[in-house]
Amino acid sequence: MTESEIRLVRHSDLEQASLLEKASYADPAEVAGFDLLKYRLEEAPELFLGCFEEDRLIGLVSATRYHGSRLTEESVKVHIPQGASVCIHSVVVHEKKQRQGIGLRMVRHFIQHVKECQRDVFRILLVCHAQYIPLYTRAGFTFVGNSDYKQGGGKWFDMEMSL
């Protein structure tokens, strides 16, 4: 098995990030797309981590800060640098690398990174489909309940971690 490294995503990684995210979502409406990922990387580069094997991106966590206490349709499109919440928008792992603990490792790394590098953050928020609730609870998130979030198809659930 090749050794992997988790680090900040760079502008030179953006094309790989966009392709990885596009390939990772069954519903195209759930894909952020190149322009939104570019916005997140430009506005909140400290909240965009990737897992790399050599120079190949195999997973990513993308987030922004927001002033609200729930992740909303608005929160996925903006970054409010002084926001009290960090909102995780994407956690994806390359299809051939799934079920190897990479997603959990990235999320735990991201949480530690936020605790060390982000000031005045009170919580980390995310929404997920039902099959991912166990992953996020293992990472330390609390299940909040049904979400009002409507992006794409399927039912979403709110998850939160108080810091």
Side-chain angles (χ1 to χ4, degrees):
M1 184 172 159
T2 306
E3 189 71 26
S4 62
E5 169 196 21
I6 297 174
R7 65 162 171 81
L8 292 174
V9 169
R10 301 176 186 130
H11 285 304
S12 60
D13 304 316
L14 190 55
E15 186 65 35
Q16 283 189 82
S18 179
L19 292 172
L20 176 61
E21 193 192 54
K22 185 177 180 181
S24 298
Y25 288 102
D27 184 343
E30 294 178 15
V31 176
F34 183 86
D35 290 339
L36 189 51
L37 289 177
K38 182 179 179 190
Y39 169 81
R40 291 176 187 161
L41 182 60
E42 289 173 349
E43 296 298 318
E46 70 284 359
L47 296 173
F48 204 143
L49 297 180
C51 184
F52 294 83
E53 285 183 351
E54 298 176 4
D55 288 333
R56 186 169 160 248
L57 182 65
I58 61 166
L60 65 85
V61 178
S62 169
T64 57
R65 285 181 67 165
Y66 189 64
H67 56 74
S69 60
R70 291 284 169 261
L71 192 143
T72 66
E73 284 86 0
E74 179 189 38
S75 69
V76 301
K77 298 174 184 158
V78 299
H79 173 61
I80 300 172
Q82 303 309 318
S85 300
V86 167
C87 298
I88 296 178
H89 306 301
S90 296
V91 176
V92 296
V93 176
H94 189 281
E95 183 179 34
K96 292 181 180 177
K97 299 293 182 175
Q98 292 177 2
R99 301 258 180 237
Q100 298 177 28
I102 295 168
L104 182 59
R105 186 173 146 235
M106 285 192 315
V107 172
R108 286 179 172 160
H109 187 99
F110 181 83
I111 292 164
Q112 191 59 39
H113 177 75
V114 167
K115 288 178 179 179
E116 293 172 1
C117 301
Q118 295 293 303
R119 293 176 180 249
D120 300 321
V121 170
F122 299 113
R123 68 191 73 80
I124 302 174
L125 306 172
L126 61 87
V127 294
C128 67
H129 293 298
Q131 70 264 30
Y132 299 110
I133 293 171
L135 166 71
Y136 295 117
T137 55
R138 282 194 309 272
F141 284 84
T142 301
F143 176 78
V144 176
N146 293 333
S147 179
D148 294 333
Y149 188 76
K150 303 285 187 235
Q151 183 84 15
K155 186 152 189 60
W156 294 96
F157 299 92
D158 287 318
M159 305 288 292
E160 178 176 340
M161 176 182 287
S162 296
L163 301 178

